């Protein structure tokens, strides 16, 4: 059980967070990993922070190519591991995250994607805000088309590499690029999960209204894209759109944007 695991971290101007992410990998109970950090268009001290860690398993790629998907693609291209997983530069992996998933993969040869429980914390990891647990097993293609898939909470899957599966992020997506990536490979094999916490998300404060509008546009684009794949019938598509309108009606109400909430509320009702 000494399979190399490649952990890919895109990093852009994250000097105050990147050390926590790196340390969480150094603290792994599984030792045969490589950490590929892709610093893209950094203008702060991110690169210096990475270089301050002295471990031959940490590999740094510095690039002027912009975009999260570009960075992840560069990391995939440099990865030598038979298993690949991702870590955002402001998040963390619990100490047993890699070992638990590799052990599960080795005991279940048919599994191509393995996930687990995700914890969501506040900005300084002092408060656990919520916890997400998968509830799906099987080929995840149809599930990933749905608005709220039971096998997706972000960039948390560990992937068993295969010569028949191309791992490449679509650089045309600036939001939901992780969902589109997983959807592109979701018909290649079985998804499963373990009951352990395998990923910890840091929820950073931001401009919520701007994010809601951007997220709304991204979901419209994603749903149009996903529904064109032919996995849902018209009744299922309509039900997905009703769920979408209800979700954003509630979201805009929380932000007291009554006009947008009313628009989605009417769409949901009729």
């Amino acid at each position: 059980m000494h399979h190399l695991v490649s952990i890919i971290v895109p990093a852009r101007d994250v000097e105050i967070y990147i050390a926590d992410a790196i340390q969480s990998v150094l603290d792994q109970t599984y030792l045969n990993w490589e950490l590929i950090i892709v610093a893209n268009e950094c203008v702060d001290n991110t690169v210096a922070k990475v270089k301050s860690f002295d471990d031959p398993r940490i590999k740094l790629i510095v690039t002027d190519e912009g975009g999260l998907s570009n960075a992840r693609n560069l990391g995939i291209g440099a990865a030598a591991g038979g298993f690949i997983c991702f870590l955002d530069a402001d998040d963390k992996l619990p100490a047993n995250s890699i070992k638990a998933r590799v052990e599960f993969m080795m005991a279940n040869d048919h599994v191509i994607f393995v996930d687990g429980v995700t914890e969501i914390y506040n900005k300084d990891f002092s408060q656990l805000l919520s916890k997400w647990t998968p509830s799906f097993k099987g080929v995840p293609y149809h599930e990933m088309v749905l608005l709220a898939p039971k096998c997706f909470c972000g960039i948390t899957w560990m992937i068993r590499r295969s010569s028949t599966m191309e791992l490449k992020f679509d650089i045309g997506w600036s939001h939901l690029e992780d969902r589109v990536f997983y959807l592109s490979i979701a018909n290649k094999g079985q998804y499963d999960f373990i009951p352990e916490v395998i990923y910890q998300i840091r929820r950073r404060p931001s401009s919520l209204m701007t994010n809601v509008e951007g997220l709304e546009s991204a979901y419209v684009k994603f749903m149009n894209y996903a529904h064109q794949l032919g996995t849902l019938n018209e009744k299922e598509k309509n039900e997905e759109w009703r769920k979408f309108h209800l979700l954003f009606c509630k979201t805009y109400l929380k932000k007291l944007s009554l006009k947008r909430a009313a628009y989605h509320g009417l769409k949901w009702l009729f």
Side-chain angles (χ1 to χ4, degrees):
M1 200 198 72
H2 300 292
H3 296 269
L4 179 64
V5 178
S6 299
I7 306 164
I8 297 168
V9 180
R12 182 180 183 186
D13 295 342
V14 284
E15 62 178 351
I16 63 174
Y17 304 116
I18 190 67
D20 285 347
I22 295 172
Q23 192 60 52
S24 79
V25 176
L26 290 171
D27 291 341
Q28 290 298 303
T29 55
Y30 188 85
L31 303 180
N32 192 22
W33 50 259
E34 61 174 5
L35 178 60
I36 303 171
I37 300 172
V38 184
N40 62 317
E41 295 188 316
C42 290
V43 296
D44 68 352
N45 291 316
T46 296
V47 171
K49 287 279 188 179
V50 175
K51 289 181 177 179
S52 70
F53 287 86
D54 183 21
D55 191 303
R57 296 171 296 177
I58 299 174
K59 301 171 182 179
L60 174 64
I61 298 172
V62 179
T63 178
D64 290 329
E65 289 185 49
L68 190 58
S69 293
N70 265 323
R72 286 179 176 148
N73 285 339
L74 285 171
I76 292 170
F83 297 121
I84 283 186
C85 62
F86 299 91
L87 173 63
D88 283 347
D90 50 357
D91 297 337
K92 296 195 292 188
L93 298 179
N96 209 40
S97 173
I98 302 299
K99 182 180 179 182
R101 287 185 284 174
V102 170
E103 287 180 344
F104 186 87
M105 284 281 210
M106 298 315 300
N108 298 274
D109 290 343
H110 65 288
V111 174
I112 305 299
F113 316 110
V114 65
D115 207 350
V117 179
T118 296
E119 292 179 334
I120 302 167
Y121 287 84
N122 61 346
K123 183 181 178 180
D124 61 0
F125 277 96
S126 63
Q127 182 182 359
L128 177 63
L129 303 177
S130 61
K131 186 179 287 191
W132 177 85
T133 301
S135 56
F136 173 85
K137 296 182 180 184
V139 178
Y141 186 72
H142 182 272
E143 188 67 24
M144 286 301 296
V145 171
L146 303 178
L147 178 64
K150 299 172 183 176
C151 58
F152 175 77
C153 187
I155 197 77
T156 61
W157 297 8
M158 178 178 282
I159 302 167
R160 187 195 303 268
R161 295 184 89 169
S162 163
S163 60
T164 62
M165 180 170 58
E166 182 184 22
L167 301 179
K168 188 175 183 180
F169 284 79
D170 186 338
I171 62 172
W173 292 78
S174 56
H175 292 79
L176 303 180
E177 74 292 326
D178 46 3
R179 277 201 69 171
V180 175
F181 170 69
Y182 284 152
L183 183 55
S184 74
I185 57 176
N187 61 351
K188 299 297 185 181
Q190 298 282 319
Y191 167 99
D192 209 328
F193 62 90
I194 59 176
E196 288 191 52
V197 178
I198 54 89
Y199 199 96
Q200 295 172 322
I201 293 174
R202 184 197 306 264
R203 196 58 89 215
R204 289 196 269 166
S206 56
S207 174
L208 291 176
M209 182 49 70
T210 300
N211 281 355
V212 170
E213 291 172 351
L215 198 60
E216 179 188 0
S217 297
Y219 266 104
V220 169
K221 179 181 177 182
F222 176 82
M223 290 175 70
N224 282 325
Y225 167 74
H227 292 180
Q228 289 171 3
L229 298 175
T231 63
L232 302 180
N233 60 41
E234 288 304 313
K235 183 179 179 181
E236 290 172 321
K237 290 179 184 178
N238 290 335
E239 183 59 29
E240 285 297 294
W241 280 113
R242 289 191 76 244
K243 290 178 183 177
F244 163 80
H245 289 300
L246 179 59
L247 171 65
F248 279 93
C249 175
K250 292 178 177 179
T251 303
Y252 278 113
L253 276 175
K254 288 178 183 178
K255 305 295 177 279
L256 300 179
S257 180
L258 301 185
K259 186 176 180 180
R260 292 300 298 166
Y263 166 80
H264 284 289
L266 288 171
K267 287 284 190 178
W268 173 67
L269 286 171
F270 303 105

